[in-house]
């Protein structure tokens, strides 16, 4: 399976403030580009913190993009997925009430069975993994068994890091916006444990596009 990451970040690499609430970093062009990237994937997933900040389905917007998906034999919308180890998720969100896209949630072994049943009644596919927290490898395995060939990861920083540290990320899409957020406790697009010296994963720049004061960068695993 091909795994990609897509994120927008400030000049200092931040994706939110210390409060970790939603921050609108991109422009109209960036939102269109996000849909273009999503349209190429079979499933889009984010972590629980990102989901709490934006509890909406991860849709493709644009009739032309949806038409192209149909011509490629894809679902009209990619699977919209979230990871929540114990299913401590807000209820009756636009994501849960969505009916035009498949919704998946990955949870750990201590997730409440009652909560699992409640989500399943809402049409959500619940995937319970073996450990306390779903591992990237388990997520990829479950999606692969369902025929998913391209998975897009959309944050947050810890969640992105788990896939990168597992060696699963092949492509990274980054939007660099002309803002400085600052703050040592403000999250970056890649956090996690970090890599030791000499073990940094290497990527090569595939494309670089300037739109106004924003830069749109795509990196491929070297």
């Amino acid at each position: 399976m091909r795994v990609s990451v897509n994120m927008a970040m400030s000049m200092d690499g931040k994706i939110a403030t210390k409060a970790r609430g939603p921050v609108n970093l991109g422009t109209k062009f960036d939102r269109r580009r996000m849909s273009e990237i999503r349209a190429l994937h079979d499933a889009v997933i984010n972590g629980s913190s990102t989901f709490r900040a934006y509890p909406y389905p991860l849709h493709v917007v644009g009739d032309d993009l949806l038409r192209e998906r149909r011509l490629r034999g894809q679902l009209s919308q990619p699977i919209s997925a979230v990871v929540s180890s114990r299913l401590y998720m807000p209820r009756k969100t636009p994501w849960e009430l969505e009916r035009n896209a498949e919704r998946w949630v990955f949870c750990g072994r201590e997730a409440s069975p009652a909560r699992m049943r409640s989500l399943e009644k809402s049409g959500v596919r619940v995937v319970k993994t073996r450990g306390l927290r779903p591992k990237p490898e388990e997520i990829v395995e479950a999606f692969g068994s369902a025929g998913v060939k391209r998975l897009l990861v959309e944050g947050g920083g810890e969640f992105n890091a788990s896939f990168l540290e597992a060696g699963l990320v092949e492509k990274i899409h980054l939007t660099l916006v002309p803002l400085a957020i600052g703050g040592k406790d403000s999250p970056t697009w890649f956090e996690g444990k970090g890599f030791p010296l000499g073990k940094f994963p290497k990527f090569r720049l595939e494309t670089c596009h300037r739109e106004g004061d924003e830069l749109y960068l795509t990196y491929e695993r070297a």
Side-chain angles (χ1 to χ4, degrees), residues 41-116:
H41 292 79
D42 303 309
V44 189
I45 190 169
N46 57 26
S48 57
S49 296
T50 301
F51 176 79
R52 284 192 292 270
Y54 189 81
Y56 290 83
L58 304 175
H59 272 174
V60 172
V61 178
D63 291 341
D64 57 330
L65 299 176
L66 297 175
R67 184 166 54 251
E68 290 170 5
R69 285 181 62 83
R70 289 193 294 270
L71 290 174
R72 289 194 295 266
Q74 295 173 289
L75 297 174
S76 59
Q77 289 286 352
I79 296 168
S80 182
V82 62
V83 171
S84 180
S85 297
R86 296 192 178 186
L87 298 181
Y88 292 162
M89 302 162 61
R91 293 303 312 272
K92 305 303 179 183
T93 61
W95 177 84
E96 186 176 342
L97 299 175
E98 171 64 28
R99 292 296 181 268
N100 294 321
E102 285 190 35
R103 291 145 298 132
W104 288 33
V105 61
F106 291 85
C107 63
R109 65 171 183 247
E110 294 187 353
S112 161
R115 192 57 189 274
M116 293 174 63

Side-chain angles (χ1 to χ4, degrees), residues 11-218:
M11 293 186 300
D12 51 343
K14 308 295 186 180
I15 58 174
T17 64
K18 178 182 177 180
R20 295 177 181 258
V23 177
N24 186 11
L25 290 176
T27 60
K28 182 178 180 180
F29 184 90
D30 180 59
R31 290 190 291 274
R32 168 66 185 190
R33 181 176 183 264
M34 179 172 64
S35 276
E36 291 173 348
I37 294 169
R38 285 179 179 175
L40 297 174
H41 292 79
D42 303 309
V44 189
I45 190 169
N46 57 26
S48 57
S49 296
T50 301
F51 176 79
R52 284 192 292 270
Y54 189 81
Y56 290 83
L58 304 175
H59 272 174
V60 172
V61 178
D63 291 341
D64 57 330
L65 299 176
L66 297 175
R67 184 166 54 251
E68 290 170 5
R69 285 181 62 83
R70 289 193 294 270
L71 290 174
R72 289 194 295 266
Q74 295 173 289
L75 297 174
S76 59
Q77 289 286 352
I79 296 168
S80 182
V82 62
V83 171
S84 180
S85 297
R86 296 192 178 186
L87 298 181
Y88 292 162
M89 302 162 61
R91 293 303 312 272
K92 305 303 179 183
T93 61
W95 177 84
E96 186 176 342
L97 299 175
E98 171 64 28
R99 292 296 181 268
N100 294 321
E102 285 190 35
R103 291 145 298 132
W104 288 33
V105 61
F106 291 85
C107 63
R109 65 171 183 247
E110 294 187 353
S112 161
R115 192 57 189 274
M116 293 174 63
R117 289 192 295 270
S118 175
L119 286 167
E120 287 170 344
K121 286 181 180 179
S122 297
V124 177
R125 179 169 179 175
V126 180
V127 180
K128 187 176 182 179
T129 58
R130 296 178 290 274
L132 294 175
R133 302 177 62 183
K135 295 180 180 179
E137 295 89 346
E138 293 175 308
I139 294 170
V140 166
E141 180 183 358
F143 274 135
S145 297
V148 171
K149 297 179 179 179
R150 290 176 176 265
L151 173 63
L152 183 63
V153 180
E154 290 194 350
E158 291 282 350
F159 192 56
N160 294 339
S162 68
F163 281 85
L164 193 57
E165 289 169 355
L168 297 172
V169 177
E170 296 186 34
K171 182 170 286 194
I172 298 173
H173 303 277
L174 290 176
T175 300
L176 181 63
V177 301
L179 300 171
I181 293 176
K184 64 182 179 63
D185 295 321
S186 299
T188 64
W189 77 270
F190 170 64
E191 297 189 335
K193 297 179 295 184
F195 294 94
L197 187 65
K199 299 292 186 179
F200 305 147
K202 295 182 180 180
F203 290 79
R204 61 178 179 81
L205 182 64
E206 184 177 68
T207 62
C208 177
H209 173 76
R210 177 179 177 179
E211 185 74 18
D213 293 322
E214 293 183 332
L215 287 179
Y216 295 87
L217 311 168
T218 300

